[in-house]
Each structure stands twice: as structure tokens, then as C-alpha cells.
Amino acid sequence: MRATWLGSIVLAVLLPMSAIAADGASCTASATEKKLAGAAKNSFMKKCEKDAGATCDAAAVEKKIFGAAKNSFTKKCVKDAVGAVV
């Protein structure tokens, strides 16, 4: 019984992140693909991070993750969506 519950928690955390990754490339990869630089890249990255934050917050609420767990989930989710900053 406990293993099933733990498995459900793991799925609840991993599925939204995989959905974001499957939805498209990371913000950094998209900026590179579009050959953005300077102010255009900064603006694009800010908007992309803001959109990722909203998506991750919605995923946390949908999965009924609240409090410190929600903050941790959202932080990692946004980091994964933004990608490595080059």
C-alpha cells in the first residue's frame, strides 16, 4: 500500500515536468535556435521564465502540491523549463 502511494507521488512530480519538456525545447534552446542576443534575448528569457512559472504553478495546484513542497516543485520545474543558461 505504501509503495503505491509513494509511486503516485513520484508520478505526480515527474509528469508535469515531462509535459513541459515535451511541449517544446527549453527557453535557452529556443533563444539559441532563434539566434536571439542582447536585449531581445533577455526579454524572451524573462517572458519564457514567467510563462514557465505560471505553467508550473498550475501543475502544482492540479497535483494538489502546496506549501514548501509547491515552492520546491515550482522552482525545479521552472529551472528545467528554462534550461541551462549559456
Side-chain angles (χ1 to χ4, degrees):
M1 179 80 155
R2 183 178 176 155
T4 304
W5 183 75
L6 186 57
S8 297
I9 291 174
V10 170
L11 284 176
V13 171
L14 294 179
L15 284 178
M17 286 186 264
S18 64
I20 292 169
D23 195 32
S26 69
C27 298
T28 304
S30 294
T32 301
E33 182 181 306
K34 294 178 181 187
K35 299 179 182 176
L36 298 175
K41 182 177 180 182
N42 289 339
S43 176
F44 175 82
M45 292 298 289
K46 282 182 183 180
K47 182 182 183 318
C48 192
E49 187 173 350
K50 181 180 175 186
D51 293 346
T55 301
C56 293
D57 278 340
V61 170
E62 181 180 319
K63 299 298 179 184
K64 297 180 178 151
I65 302 172
F66 300 102
K70 179 184 178 224
N71 293 341
S72 177
F73 171 83
T74 302
K75 183 176 178 181
K76 178 164 181 4
C77 181
V78 169
K79 181 181 171 191
D80 292 344
V82 171
V85 178
V86 177

